[in-house]
Amino acid sequence: MKDYDVVVIGAGPGGYVAAIRCAQLGMKTACVESWLNPEGKPALGGSCLNVGCIPSKALLDSSHHYEHLQHGLDDHGITTSSVKIDVKKMIARKDDIVKTLTGGIAGLFKKNKIDWLQGHGKLLGDGQVEVVPTGKGKAETVKAKNIIIATGSVPTAIPPAPVDDKYIVDSTGALSFDSVPKTLGVIGGGVIGLELGSVWRRLGSEVIVLEALDTFLQPVDQQMAKEAHRTLKKEGMDIRLGAMVTGTEVKGKKVKVTYTQGGKEQSLEVDKLVVSVGRAPNTQGLNAQEAGLKINARGFIEVDEHCHTNVPGVYAIGDVVRGPMLAHKASEEGVMVAERLAGQSTEVHFDNVPWVIYTWPELAWVGKTEEQLKAEGVEYGKGVFPFMASGRARAMGETTGMVKILACKKTDTILGIHIYGPNASELVSEAVIAMEFGASTEDIISTIHAHPTLSEAMHEAALAVDSRTIHI
């Protein structure tokens, strides 16, 4: 039986990062992963690199270029004609990006002398993990002083819309259409639904989003959410709130979807239907409960603030535990566990985890929303600066959206920063750093921002908290 200091189960952004950091710190490390790529070959990277974050952004980028060529260049004095989309080539590009990055992780494993155990990991107790191969071969058992569970999450299924991987698909299937559906239904108006809906709308699909909640993007600061809702609708995305799907039926080459809205039963027909109602923690086949791990009513493995489970020597990170299901959160937890195993005192500040929705414009934020502060009775000041008043945004022709800063009324400490606009995913990093260091709006005001840049909107929003804006 092979003996390790650490065995990581799962090689997504949490697992592979944890494995690399453990190896860097001198621990003999193995990582168990069962993922097979479309060619049936083992692959690292988990859902994020194979069927999530990376491939979706590749398609979002391709579709953004296509739409921009068609509709975004007239004001620049550029005229185009006969713009076409080769969907198969676009998908092939996405697949090539995935293959390159997952192969890169394999190279990092080799560089750091990490054993990749290809198969499904099963907890046996007493520090033992059984590795069941996905293909031929016998299962083997390895032993470890410490085990890190990083098995991620899977798309949530709903009874009214069973996935058949042909006409009714989950988020994975929506990344691999071989042609543009004339009509596309999307169940779920959250992050995944809006991003995938954006891809295919830009390419020519009529997209209808059915969201069960009456509020659009309920967890998001509602000033930003309402602006995003208006923009998406203006661009042609049909978003129906308070629409609860009650059934689906495949007829011929169409999917009939029935739903209730406003107390009335309604229906529509689409060529393809995407089910994107969230994700659930993946503990299937892990033998977690039998191994003594506590799992809560929602299926998450219970951990403390340092990701230690109730079983000595067993840790869990990422989507399989509490907190936001975000790749970067999983990675930071992986680093924290690795460094704590090495005797360091690393922490993860979960209040400062950034969120991003990659529509266009992008939506990004960190910290509290205005609604949360009101509910908590916190006295706060607010500063808003529109990109309409940004010189760089004007030059780019990207003036939709704004930056919003919320700060404590008494101390001026920043409580939340929300960005809806071009490149919000990049701009939010300044906000995260500011909040990580406990910055005030005066700190941002005192920081010189290059001109002309989009980041100047952050500076002006900070000024706006104290009614000191210069450019509006």
Side-chain angles (χ1 to χ4, degrees), residues 360-401:
W360 193 263
E362 295 174 338
L363 184 55
W365 69 97
V366 61
K368 302 281 189 178
T369 66
E370 192 168 356
E371 289 71 32
Q372 287 174 315
L373 294 178
K374 287 179 179 177
E376 294 169 8
V378 177
E379 292 187 27
Y380 65 92
K382 175 173 69 173
V384 177
F385 187 79
F387 282 107
M388 187 73 72
S390 161
R392 182 61 190 277
R394 280 277 181 183
M396 292 170 62
E398 299 286 356
T399 56
T400 300

Side-chain angles (χ1 to χ4, degrees), residues 211-259:
E211 168 54 53
L213 296 177
D214 291 320
T215 304
F216 183 66
L217 292 176
Q218 191 175 64
V220 178
D221 186 279
Q222 284 302 292
Q223 184 174 1
M224 299 295 178
K226 288 173 182 176
E227 184 72 15
H229 191 202
R230 281 193 293 269
T231 302
L232 290 168
K233 288 184 70 175
K234 182 180 178 182
E235 291 174 346
M237 190 177 289
D238 184 351
I239 301 170
R240 304 179 187 182
L241 300 176
M244 177 68 71
V245 174
T246 56
T248 55
E249 182 183 3
V250 177
K251 283 187 171 184
K253 294 184 178 181
K254 296 279 188 178
V255 183
K256 181 181 180 182
V257 184
T258 55
Y259 63 98

Side-chain angles (χ1 to χ4, degrees), residues 99-425:
K99 188 175 181 179
T100 299
L101 291 176
T102 55
I105 298 172
L108 290 171
F109 271 26
K110 186 175 181 179
K111 173 186 174 183
N112 289 282
K113 297 180 174 60
I114 298 166
D115 287 349
W116 175 11
L117 307 180
Q118 296 175 2
H120 185 87
K122 181 179 179 182
L123 298 171
L124 298 180
D126 193 29
Q128 295 185 50
V129 176
E130 183 182 43
V131 182
V132 182
T134 48
K136 296 180 180 179
K138 295 181 180 180
E140 67 169 319
T141 301
V142 297
K143 190 172 177 62
K145 294 176 185 176
N146 294 285
I147 297 168
I148 302 174
I149 300 168
T151 47
S153 60
V154 293
T156 300
I158 56 173
V163 171
D164 64 12
D165 291 322
K166 187 175 182 181
Y167 297 103
I168 304 176
V169 302
D170 57 18
S171 56
T172 300
L175 293 169
S176 298
F177 292 152
D178 57 9
S179 62
V180 179
K182 185 176 180 181
T183 53
L184 177 69
V186 179
I187 304 177
V191 177
I192 298 172
L194 293 177
E195 290 183 0
L196 293 174
S198 293
V199 168
W200 297 106
R201 183 204 61 75
R202 295 169 185 168
L203 299 179
S205 290
E206 178 189 351
V207 176
I208 304 101
V209 177
L210 303 175
E211 168 54 53
L213 296 177
D214 291 320
T215 304
F216 183 66
L217 292 176
Q218 191 175 64
V220 178
D221 186 279
Q222 284 302 292
Q223 184 174 1
M224 299 295 178
K226 288 173 182 176
E227 184 72 15
H229 191 202
R230 281 193 293 269
T231 302
L232 290 168
K233 288 184 70 175
K234 182 180 178 182
E235 291 174 346
M237 190 177 289
D238 184 351
I239 301 170
R240 304 179 187 182
L241 300 176
M244 177 68 71
V245 174
T246 56
T248 55
E249 182 183 3
V250 177
K251 283 187 171 184
K253 294 184 178 181
K254 296 279 188 178
V255 183
K256 181 181 180 182
V257 184
T258 55
Y259 63 98
T260 58
Q261 187 180 36
K264 297 179 181 179
E265 185 170 294
Q266 303 188 53
S267 66
L268 66 112
E269 279 194 343
V270 293
D271 295 302
K272 299 282 187 181
L273 179 66
V274 181
V275 181
S276 58
V277 294
R279 297 184 67 85
N282 178 28
T283 56
Q284 186 175 4
L286 186 60
N287 206 42
Q289 287 180 307
E290 292 81 354
L293 293 181
K294 289 183 179 179
I295 296 180
N296 68 22
R298 296 179 61 208
F300 293 96
I301 297 173
E302 294 190 358
V303 292
D304 63 16
E305 68 273 22
H306 300 132
C307 294
H308 203 171
T309 71
N310 63 296
V311 176
V314 180
Y315 298 80
I317 63 175
D319 288 5
V320 82
V321 302
R322 79 286 177 270
M325 288 182 165
L326 298 169
H328 44 281
K329 174 259 196 183
S331 295
E332 292 305 314
E333 287 178 329
V335 170
M336 175 183 69
V337 171
E339 293 182 351
R340 294 189 75 85
L341 289 176
Q344 300 179 24
S345 55
T346 307
E347 306 277 348
V348 174
H349 299 155
F350 297 103
D351 289 341
N352 295 336
V353 175
W355 295 73
V356 182
I357 302 177
Y358 294 88
T359 52
W360 193 263
E362 295 174 338
L363 184 55
W365 69 97
V366 61
K368 302 281 189 178
T369 66
E370 192 168 356
E371 289 71 32
Q372 287 174 315
L373 294 178
K374 287 179 179 177
E376 294 169 8
V378 177
E379 292 187 27
Y380 65 92
K382 175 173 69 173
V384 177
F385 187 79
F387 282 107
M388 187 73 72
S390 161
R392 182 61 190 277
R394 280 277 181 183
M396 292 170 62
E398 299 286 356
T399 56
T400 300
M402 68 197 82
V403 176
K404 176 178 181 178
I405 297 181
L406 304 168
C408 177
K409 197 77 171 177
K410 296 177 181 178
T411 66
D412 194 40
T413 302
I414 296 168
L415 303 174
I417 298 182
H418 307 267
I419 308 165
Y420 180 56
N423 301 338
S425 60

